[in-house]
C-alpha cells in the first residue's frame, strides 16, 4: 500500500508522497486541521486513513515537570526517558529543594515523580503534596520506589502508578514510562484539541516527530556517509533537537538505547527567535563570532534574510556550546570524539554546507583548539524524516 | 540486609581493591551497590539517597582523596543523611604518610571511619563493630 507521510511542525507542514516532499508554512490564523486540508486536501483525499502516517511536533510537544530525589539517578533517568519519548522538558525539581522551588505558571501536560529503588523507605512526605497543590497539570504519574506507591495513591488524586524507573541495581528501566509518555500523545486526555482533530485523517497512531527520528537513528549510517560517534542536530522553528550516540558521554546511566535525545526549547529561529537572540547576546564568544562572520551586533535586531542566516549559524554554535563540557547539568558530550554532524530541519534549506562548516570550524578551533572538524552532512531533502516514517509505519 | 554503597572516588581507575571490597562485603552479608571507579562524591551521596543505604564506603588509591572529599560535610548539610556511616580507606595521601595527621583530617571532612594503607579485613571488622554499637 502506498503511504502518505505528514509532519506537523511548529512552523510548517511537510507532506511526503512517493519520495517527493512538499513544504508549507503554517497559517496560525487557522487551526491545524483546516490549514492542512486547505493546503494539501487534494493529496490527502487520495489516500485511505490506513495509508496516512502523521507525526507531529506542533505545540512544542508535551510539557513535563519532573520531581526526583537526586540529579544522578531519578532526575537524570526520568529526563532521559522523557527526551527520548519526544517530550520537551519544562522543569525539574530536586526534592530536597522543593520548598524553595517556584511552581511553573502554565498548565503542565504530565507531572512525573520518581525516586528510590523499590525497597527504599527514604521517601516522599507531605511537602510533595503541598507543592503539587500549587501546580496545574493534566496527568500525573509515579514511577518511583514501590514502597511509596501507597502514599501516592492515598494523597494524589488520579495518580498513575507504574514500574519504577530505577532498578534494584540502580540502573535505568525505561520501558513502562517511555511507553506511557509516547502514548499520551495519542490519548484524548491530552486536551490538545488541535492534534486530536487530526485523527479524522488517519487510522494510525500519531507519534511525536522526535520520537520517530530517535527510533531510526541506528539506520542513518545506511543512508548517509556518517561515522559513529555522530550527532544529529535538528534546528526547527521553535526547538532544537539533538540526537547523539551514547559513546559521546561518560556517565552512570546504562541504557539499551544507543542514541539519546536532548532538546533546547528556545533556540529556534522563528517562534523562539527572541530567546535565541537573547541567549546569543549573553554568550561569552558572541562578539568574536560575529566578527568572524563579518557582521556587527546590529544584525541581531534585523529581520532580513541575511539576519536569519546569521541566526541559524548562531544556533548551531550555541547548540554545540551548550552540549560541550561544563555547560549543561544534564549531559556533557565529548565533542572531541565526534566524527560526524548531521544537520536536518529548516536550516538545511537556508544555509549552505560552507556556512555550516564555517561555524563548526569556529567552535572547534576556538573552544576545543582542534584544527580538524567533524564531517558535516546536510539532510537537505528530509531523508531522515522520510526514512523514520517508513520505519515506524512498518513497525506500527 | 544492610545496604552499602561503594566505589572509587575521583579520577581514580585502580579497580582491584574495589572488586575485593564488593566481594568481601557480600560475604559479610551486606547488600552492595558498587558504583565502580571514577565516581564523584555527589554520585555517591545520590546513590545513598536513592537506595536508602546505611553505609557509604569510599576507596581512594591514587592519592587524590583529599581534593575529592573535602566537600563531604557541605553535602551532608544539604541532604538528610542522618544515621549514615561514612567510611574511607586506601592510599589517602601522596606525600604525607603519618596516619596521626591523615586520619583526623578526614574525620574533620565528615568521615566516621578512616583507614590509611590498612588491611581491608581489619577495616571491615571495625565497620561491623561500629554498626553494632551505633545503629
Ligand atoms: C596496578 C596499579 C596501577 C594500574 C591500575 C590498573 C587498574 N585498572 O586497577 C595502573 C597502571 C593503570 C595504575 C595507574 C596509576 N597509578 Co597505580 N598502582 C598500581 C599498583 C602497582 C597496584 C594496585 C593494586 O591493584 N593493588 C592490589 C589491591 C588489592 O590493593 P590496594 O589497591 O592497595 O587495596 C588494598 C588496600 O589499599 C585496602 N583498601 C583499598 N580501599 C580501601 C577502603 C577501605 C575502607 C579499607 C578499609 C581498605 C581499603 O584494601 C585493599 C586490599 O587489601 C599500586 C602499587 C601497590 N603495590 O599497591 C600503584 C599505585 C596505587 N599507583 C599509584 C599511582 C600514583 C598511579 C598513577 C597516578 C601513576 C601515574 N603517574 O600515571 C596512575 C593513576 C591513574 C588514575 N587515574 O587513577 C600510586 C599511588 C600513590 C599514593 N597514593 O600514595 C601507587 C601506590 C604506586 C606508588 N607506590 O607510587 N596503577
Amino acid at each position: 500500500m502506498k503511504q502518505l507521510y505528514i509532519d506537523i511542525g511548529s512552523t510548517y507542514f511537510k507532506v511526503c508522497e512517493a519520495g517527493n516532499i512538499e513544504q508549507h508554512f503554517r497559517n496560525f490564523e487557522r487551526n491545524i486541521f483546516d490549514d492542512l486540508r486547505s493546503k494539501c486536501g487534494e493529496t490527502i483525499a487520495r489516500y485511505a486513513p490506513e495509508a496516512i502516517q502523521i507525526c507531529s511536533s506542533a505545540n512544542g510537544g508535551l510539557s513535563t515537570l519532573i520531581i526526583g530525589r537526586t540529579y544522578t539517578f531519578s532526575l537524570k533517568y526520568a529526563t532521559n526517558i522523557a527526551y527520548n519519548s519526544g517530550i520537551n522538558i519544562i522543569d525539574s525539581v530536586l526534592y530536597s529543594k522543593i520548598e524553595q522551588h517556584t511552581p511553573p505558571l502554565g498548565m503542565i501536560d504530565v507531572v512525573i515523580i520518581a525516586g528510590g529503588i523499590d525497597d527504599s523507605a527514604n521517601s516522599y512526605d507531605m511537602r510533595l503534596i503541598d507543592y503539587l497543590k500549587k501546580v496545574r497539570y493534566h496527568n500525573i504519574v509515579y514511577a518511583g520506589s514501590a514502597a511509596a506507591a501507597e502514599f501516592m495513591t492515598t494523597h494524589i488524586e488520579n495518580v498513575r502508578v507504574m514500574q519504577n524507573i530505577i532498578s534494584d541495581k540502580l540502573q535505568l528501566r525505561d520501558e513502562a514510562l517511555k511507553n506511557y509518555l509516547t502514548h499520551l500523545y495519542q490519548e484524548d486526555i491530552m486536551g490538545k484539541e488541535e492534534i486530536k482533530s487530526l485523527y479524522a485523517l488517519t487510522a494510525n497512531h500519531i507519534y511525536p516527530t522526535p520520537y520517530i527520528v530517535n527510533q531510526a537513528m541506528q539506520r542513518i549510517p545506511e543512508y548517509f556517509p556518517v561515522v559513529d560517534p555522530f550527532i544529529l542536530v535538528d534546528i526547527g522553528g521553535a526547538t532544537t533537537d539533538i540526537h547523539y550516540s551514547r559513546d559521546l558521554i561518560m556517565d552512570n546511566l546504562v541504557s539499551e538505547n544507543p542514541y539519546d535525545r536532548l532538546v533546547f526549547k528556545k533556540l529556534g529561529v522563528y517562534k523562539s527567535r527572541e530567546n535565541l537572540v537573547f541567549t546569543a547576546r549573553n554568550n561569552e564568544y558572541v562578539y568574536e563570532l560575529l566578527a568572524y562572520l563579518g557582521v556587527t551586533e546590529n544584525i541581531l535586531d534585523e529581520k532580513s534574510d541575511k539576519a536569519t542566516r546569521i541566526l541559524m549559524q548562531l544556533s548551531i554554535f550555541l547548540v554545540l556550546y551548550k552540549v560541550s563540557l561544563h555547560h549543561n547539568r544534564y549531559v556533557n558530550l565529548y565533542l572531541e570524539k565526534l566524527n560526524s554532524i548531521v544537520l536536518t530541519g529548516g536550516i538545511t534549506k537556508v544555509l549552505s554546507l560552507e556556512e555550516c562548516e564555517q561555524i563548526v570550524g569556529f567552535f572547534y578551533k576556538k573552544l576545543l583548539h582542534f584544527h580538524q572538524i567533524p564531517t558535516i552532512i546536510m539532510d537537505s531533502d528530509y531523508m531522515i524524516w522520510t526514512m523514520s516514517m517508513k520505519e515506524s509505519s512498518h513497525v506500527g | 540486609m544492610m545496604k552499602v554503597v561503594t566505589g572509587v572516588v575521583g579520577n581514580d581507575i585502580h579497580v582491584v581493591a574495589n572488586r575485593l571490597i564488593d566481594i568481601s562485603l557480600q560475604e559479610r552479608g551486606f547488600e552492595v551497590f558498587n558504583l565502580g571507579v571514577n565516581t564523584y562524591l555527589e554520585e555517591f551521596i545520590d546513590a545513598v539517597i536513592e537506595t536508602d543505604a546505611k553505609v557509604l564506603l569510599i576507596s581512594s588509591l591514587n592519592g587524590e582523596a583529599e581534593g575529592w572529599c573535602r566537600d563531604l560535610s557541605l553535602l551532608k548539610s544539604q541532604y538528610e543523611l542522618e544515621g549514615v556511616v561514612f567510611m574511607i580507606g586506601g592510599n589517602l595521601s601522596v606525600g604525607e604518610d603519618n596516619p596521626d595527621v591523615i586520619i583526623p583530617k578526614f574525620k574533620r571532612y565528615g568521615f566516621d571511619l578512616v583507614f590509611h594503607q590498612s588491611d581491608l579485613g581489619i577495616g571491615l571488622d571495625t565497620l561491623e563493630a561500629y554498626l553494632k554499637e551505633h545503629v
Side-chain angles (χ1 to χ4, degrees):
Chain A
M1 184 166 51
K2 265 193 6 191
Q3 307 270 321
L4 181 71
Y5 305 131
I6 302 174
D7 177 44
I8 318 282
S10 68
T11 316
Y12 36 77
F13 302 126
K14 285 198 291 285
V15 176
C16 175
E17 189 183 17
N20 292 319
I21 294 187
E22 266 179 58
Q23 187 169 313
H24 303 275
F25 262 94
R26 269 180 58 189
N27 172 358
F28 293 100
E29 314 270 285
R30 312 176 94 150
N31 73 42
I32 296 179
F33 184 73
D34 293 343
D35 196 17
L36 183 64
R37 279 228 307 217
S38 76
K39 284 163 180 155
C40 322
E42 276 178 37
T43 315
I44 291 169
R46 275 188 275 117
Y47 289 82
E50 291 74 28
I52 297 183
Q53 308 284 348
I54 302 180
C55 68
S56 162
S57 58
N59 305 327
L62 296 182
S63 61
T64 313
L65 172 70
I66 299 175
I67 303 171
R69 302 196 64 92
T70 69
Y71 287 118
T72 314
F73 301 96
S74 33
L75 285 176
K76 187 192 270 181
Y77 288 6
T79 305
N80 175 275
I81 297 169
Y83 277 141
N84 286 348
S85 311
I87 280 189
N88 303 329
I89 306 291
I90 281 249
D91 220 339
S92 60
V93 190
L94 185 66
Y95 191 53
S96 56
K97 306 238 163 79
I98 199 161
E99 285 159 312
Q100 290 100 281
H101 191 271
T102 316
L105 290 173
M107 183 63 113
I108 302 289
D109 289 311
V110 55
V111 175
I112 301 167
I113 307 165
I117 58 172
D118 273 342
D119 67 354
S120 143
N122 206 351
S123 198
Y124 288 100
D125 52 28
M126 291 311 282
R127 283 178 298 166
L128 173 71
I129 311 302
D130 292 339
Y131 176 83
L132 287 174
K133 284 186 189 136
K134 295 176 270 178
V135 182
R136 295 191 304 129
Y137 54 84
H138 286 300
N139 302 286
I140 184 160
V141 291
Y142 176 64
S145 164
E150 204 188 305
F151 174 82
M152 299 295 164
T153 48
T154 312
H155 295 283
I156 307 170
E157 210 178 319
N158 295 326
V159 66
R160 180 136 167 192
V161 176
M162 60 183 66
Q163 188 190 49
N164 193 347
I165 55 171
I166 307 180
S167 77
D168 288 344
K169 289 273 162 248
L170 265 180
Q171 286 177 345
L172 173 78
R173 205 161 47 181
D174 61 0
E175 314 87 41
L177 183 59
K178 193 167 174 181
N179 236 324
Y180 169 79
L181 293 176
T182 45
H183 281 79
L184 249 197
Y185 225 81
Q186 302 151 7
E187 286 175 23
D188 282 357
I189 48 170
M190 275 282 310
K192 281 189 177 148
E193 294 296 327
E194 286 211 300
I195 301 284
K196 216 160 78 178
S197 63
L198 293 172
Y199 277 111
L201 303 177
T202 179
N204 302 301
H205 284 319
I206 299 175
Y207 284 100
T209 315
Y211 170 78
I212 300 271
V213 172
N214 190 262
Q215 296 295 96
M217 281 293 284
Q218 288 182 72
R219 312 240 6 222
I220 289 181
E222 292 170 29
Y223 293 80
F224 289 94
V226 303
V227 180
D228 242 322
F230 72 94
I231 59 174
L232 170 70
V233 183
D234 181 351
I235 300 184
T239 60
T240 294
D241 282 43
I242 302 164
H243 302 257
Y244 54 91
S245 316
R246 290 200 51 84
D247 298 348
L248 291 172
I249 52 176
M250 208 185 79
D251 72 2
N252 61 310
L253 190 151
V254 182
S255 120
E256 284 180 6
N257 214 27
Y259 297 94
D260 276 344
R261 167 179 179 255
L262 181 64
V263 58
F264 295 109
K265 243 182 96 64
K266 290 180 174 156
L267 290 183
V269 286
Y270 295 107
K271 266 197 136 174
S272 50
R273 189 180 181 115
E274 276 168 31
N275 198 283
L276 173 63
V277 170
F278 178 82
T279 313
R281 278 195 205 282
N282 285 299
N283 188 280
E284 58 195 299
Y285 295 98
V286 70
Y287 295 106
E288 214 172 323
L289 179 55
L290 290 172
Y292 171 83
L293 297 175
V295 293
T296 67
E297 198 196 338
N298 297 336
I299 193 95
L300 299 177
D301 301 316
E302 285 175 24
K303 286 268 140 64
S304 62
D305 273 1
K306 170 88 181 159
T308 301
R309 303 174 88 87
I310 296 285
L311 275 182
M312 286 180 171
Q313 286 184 299
L314 279 177
S315 72
I316 297 177
F317 174 83
L318 289 172
V319 163
L320 293 176
Y321 180 87
K322 283 188 176 244
V323 297
S324 62
L325 288 190
H326 315 305
H327 298 133
N328 193 314
R329 172 153 226 164
Y330 168 61
V331 73
N332 288 303
L333 304 186
Y334 285 85
L335 294 176
E336 292 86 343
K337 293 206 255 170
L338 191 62
N339 285 319
S340 314
I341 300 178
V342 185
L343 295 169
T344 186
I347 60 160
T348 58
K349 296 277 182 209
V350 180
L351 293 184
S352 66
L353 177 64
E354 291 67 36
E355 285 167 315
C356 296
E357 283 173 344
Q358 186 187 25
I359 196 76
V360 174
F362 177 86
F363 180 88
Y364 270 80
K365 281 175 201 136
K366 183 73 205 167
L367 280 82
L368 303 182
H369 310 292
F370 267 42
H371 291 290
Q372 265 200 314
I373 68 167
T375 323
I376 296 177
I377 292 129
M378 308 282 275
D379 175 33
S380 321
D381 298 322
Y382 295 111
M383 267 268 283
I384 291 173
W385 170 73
T386 316
M387 169 194 92
S388 311
M389 285 300 270
K390 255 187 218 150
E391 293 279 315
S392 70
S393 60
H394 287 318
V395 181
Chain B
M1 257 198 283
M2 184 167 283
K3 295 174 191 158
V4 185
V5 169
T6 191
V8 186
V9 71
N11 291 327
D12 190 340
I13 53 157
H14 294 92
V15 75
V16 185
N18 175 253
R19 292 279 155 78
L20 283 178
I21 290 169
D22 191 335
I23 295 165
S24 311
L25 284 168
Q26 290 189 43
E27 277 173 354
R28 286 170 186 247
F30 291 95
E31 182 178 358
V32 184
F33 296 90
N34 188 355
L35 305 184
V37 297
N38 277 325
T39 302
Y40 297 133
L41 194 57
E42 288 83 356
E43 295 175 323
F44 280 119
I45 302 286
D46 286 354
V48 168
I49 292 168
E50 304 276 11
T51 57
D52 201 9
K54 286 286 163 278
V55 180
L56 172 57
L57 189 161
I58 294 178
S59 301
S60 172
L61 288 316
N62 68 2
E64 294 177 359
E66 190 171 344
W68 292 106
C69 295
R70 257 195 296 253
D71 291 338
L72 180 62
S73 19
L74 182 74
L75 288 172
K76 277 165 90 172
S77 71
Q78 288 171 0
Y79 293 94
E80 293 154 27
L81 293 163
E82 282 113 65
V84 178
V85 178
F86 293 87
M87 178 172 182
I88 190 166
N91 307 313
L92 297 185
S93 130
V94 184
E96 180 62 66
D97 255 350
N98 184 354
D100 297 336
V101 176
I102 294 168
I103 291 172
K105 193 193 286 173
F106 280 87
K107 290 213 164 156
R108 255 182 282 126
Y109 293 153
F111 287 96
D112 303 297
L113 299 168
V114 182
F115 298 87
H116 174 56
Q117 295 186 337
S118 52
D119 180 75
L120 178 60
I122 295 177
L124 297 183
D125 289 345
T126 315
L127 170 67
E128 285 180 325
Y130 185 91
L131 289 171
K132 262 206 194 98
E133 206 176 303
H134 290 81
V135 182

